[in-house]
Amino acid sequence: MYDIGLPSKKTLFELQGERLAKLGALAGARAPTWYVMTSPFTHDATVAFFKSRDYFGLNARDVVFFKQGTLPCFTEDGEIILKSFGEVSEAPDGNGGIYAAMAREGVIADMRKRKIEHVYAYCVDNALVQVGDPTFVGCCVERECEAGAKVIAKAYPTEPVGVFACRKNEATGAKEYHVVEYSEIPESLATAKDKKTGELKFNAANIALHYFSFDFLSRCCLDIALPHHVARKKIPYLDVNTGKTIEPSSPNGIKLEAFIFDTYKYAKSVCVVRGDRALDFAPVKNAEGAGKDSPDTAREAILSLHARWILQAGGVIVDENDVPVPTDRARCEVSPAVSYAGESLASRLRVRVGGVVR
C-alpha cells in the first residue's frame, strides 16, 4: 500500500496488480489468480485497500487473501515476552510460514479446485517484480522442474545477500539446493572465484523470486515441517512497573522465522535462472534517502528502466521545451496497462521527462 513517489502515485500493490492484469491480456486469457498473504496485523487494511481500488482491474474472485501465522517472541534466556498484562508479544513466522498458512487457510484446496499447475511467488517489497514472469516460469515448466529460483549476480563480492548453493546429501548422495546466508559465508569464500570463468563461486544472489509446481508445493504445505531460524529483533514489551508497552530502540529479543527456500532441498529438480538486477530487483526496505533499498532507489530503477523502453522503441524523451534530453537524464513512467515489460510501445512516441505514459 506504500506510495514510493512515482509520478503516477501508484503503490507497490497497484503496480503489481496492474502488471498481472496486463499479463492476462497479453496471453488473451483471464489474469492468473493472485494469492495475497497478509499478517494478522495488516489483513483488514490490505483487504480494504484492494476493495477501494477495485482490485486494480482484476476480478475480485481471482484475488484470494490468507493470513500468515505468528509465533511468540522470547528473551535470550528463553522467557516469553509480554506485550501487556494480558497479551504475549508475537511476530509473523517468516516467509516460510507461507506453507503452513496455505494449508491452514484453504489455499491449497482452492488451487486444486481451480486446477492450478504452476505457482510463482515473490515478495511485495520488490518494485520491479515481473509478476507471473512468463519467461522464468516457462523455463521451469519446460524443464519439468519441481522448484525454481530467479537469482541475480551479486553487486560486489561481500554484498550482504544470501546465495543459492548446492551440496551433496551424505546419506543419499543426492544434490540438494540451499540458500546460505551472507553471515554464514566467510570472506574467503564470498570473494573466491571460479578459475575457469573468473566469476565468483557463490554468485547466485537470492532475491525471493520463486517457482513451484503445484504438486511439489502441496507436498511442502501438507507433508514437510520446516526448521525455524533465530532473528534478533526489537520486540515491544511490558514495563511491569508502569503497565505500559515499551517500543525498544534496539534489538531486545528473539523471534523465530521459517524461510521459504528451506523446501528446495526436498525438490527432485530445481531450475535456477539468472536475471538482471536492473530488470528484476528494486526492494523497498529502508526509509527515503537511505541510499540503498529505499523508495528513491526503487523509483529511480523504475523510471530509468521505463525510459530505456521508450528509447529502444524509437521514441524520445523531451524536457519542458520539447527538446530531447540526454540518455543519462531520460526518466519516465510507463503504466502497466500500456506495457508489461517494454512491449507494444509505439515508435516516435514523445514523452515529457518525468511524465507517465498511460
Side-chain angles (χ1 to χ4, degrees):
M1 296 176 285
Y2 187 68
D3 175 359
I4 63 172
L6 290 170
S8 66
K9 303 299 181 185
K10 288 179 179 176
T11 66
L12 295 176
F13 271 139
E14 286 176 284
L15 293 173
Q16 293 158 15
E18 290 180 10
R19 287 171 191 160
L20 199 60
K22 181 63 173 178
L23 184 59
L26 288 170
R30 285 172 59 178
T33 304
W34 196 8
Y35 294 91
V36 182
M37 186 171 76
T38 66
S39 77
F41 315 107
T42 63
H43 183 83
D44 291 344
T46 302
V47 173
F49 181 74
F50 273 64
K51 288 181 178 178
S52 72
R53 302 302 172 93
D54 198 25
Y55 298 91
F56 321 120
L58 299 166
N59 190 318
R61 291 176 298 178
D62 295 330
V63 181
V64 180
F65 300 93
F66 65 105
K67 292 181 185 178
Q68 180 179 13
T70 61
L71 290 170
C73 302
F74 52 92
T75 68
E76 292 283 351
D77 296 326
E79 296 180 341
I80 296 295
I81 297 175
L82 290 179
K83 187 174 182 179
S84 68
F85 282 116
E87 183 181 6
V88 169
S89 271
E90 296 182 334
D93 56 3
N95 57 23
I98 191 170
Y99 301 114
M102 291 178 79
R104 183 181 62 249
E105 301 274 314
V107 172
I108 289 297
D110 185 78
M111 287 182 172
R112 183 174 286 111
K113 182 179 179 181
R114 294 174 189 259
K115 299 182 179 179
I116 289 172
E117 297 179 24
H118 310 287
V119 179
Y120 173 84
Y122 70 97
C123 287
V124 69
D125 63 7
N126 184 355
L128 279 180
V129 62
Q130 299 178 52
V131 186
D133 200 337
T135 303
F136 166 53
V137 171
C139 180
C140 296
V141 173
E142 186 177 69
R143 291 170 179 257
E144 299 181 346
C145 292
E146 289 194 325
K150 195 173 195 181
V151 302
I152 57 174
K154 291 194 288 187
Y156 50 92
T158 56
E159 183 180 14
V161 292
V163 293
F164 274 89
C166 296
R167 73 182 182 194
K168 182 185 289 187
N169 184 309
E170 294 184 359
T172 65
K175 182 172 70 173
E176 295 179 347
Y177 282 82
H178 297 262
V179 171
V180 185
E181 291 299 326
Y182 70 92
S183 58
E184 300 172 328
I185 304 178
E187 186 171 337
S188 59
L189 284 181
T191 59
K193 293 186 176 181
D194 187 293
K195 292 181 179 179
K196 292 182 179 179
T197 65
E199 284 200 359
L200 294 171
K201 285 185 175 181
F202 298 95
N203 201 29
N206 172 40
I207 53 173
L209 299 177
H210 305 284
Y211 162 83
F212 303 96
S213 71
F214 174 74
D215 289 342
F216 177 64
L217 179 64
S218 63
R219 294 206 311 272
C220 293
C221 294
L222 302 174
D223 301 330
I224 296 174
L226 293 182
H228 285 92
H229 303 263
V230 168
R232 288 172 173 81
K233 301 287 185 178
K234 293 181 284 188
I235 311 296
Y237 67 94
L238 169 69
D239 183 329
V240 294
N241 295 317
T242 64
K244 295 181 178 180
T245 298
I246 307 298
E247 299 285 345
S249 57
S250 60
N252 65 314
I254 291 173
K255 61 173 288 192
L256 295 176
E257 298 177 322
F259 293 157
I260 191 170
F261 50 71
D262 277 341
T263 57
Y264 276 66
K265 68 178 182 180
Y266 299 107
K268 295 175 183 176
S269 53
V270 176
C271 181
V272 178
V273 176
R274 177 177 286 189
D276 185 326
R277 187 181 295 261
L279 303 178
D280 294 305
F281 192 52
V284 181
K285 298 179 182 296
N286 301 318
E288 180 85 16
K292 179 184 177 183
D293 298 348
S294 55
D296 46 310
T297 58
R299 190 166 61 245
E300 170 65 15
I302 290 175
L303 298 181
S304 58
L305 172 62
H306 290 188
R308 291 197 298 275
W309 290 353
I310 297 296
L311 298 175
Q312 289 165 2
V316 294
I317 298 176
V318 300
D319 62 18
E320 62 275 8
N321 298 314
D322 205 38
V323 176
V325 301
T327 302
D328 62 354
R329 285 184 49 215
R331 302 289 186 275
C332 70
E333 182 182 354
V334 177
S335 169
V338 174
S339 183
Y340 174 83
E343 79 295 330
S344 306
L345 293 171
S347 60
R348 301 183 182 178
L349 193 64
R350 296 180 76 83
V351 182
R352 179 69 59 83
V353 66
V356 183
V357 180
R358 294 184 170 90

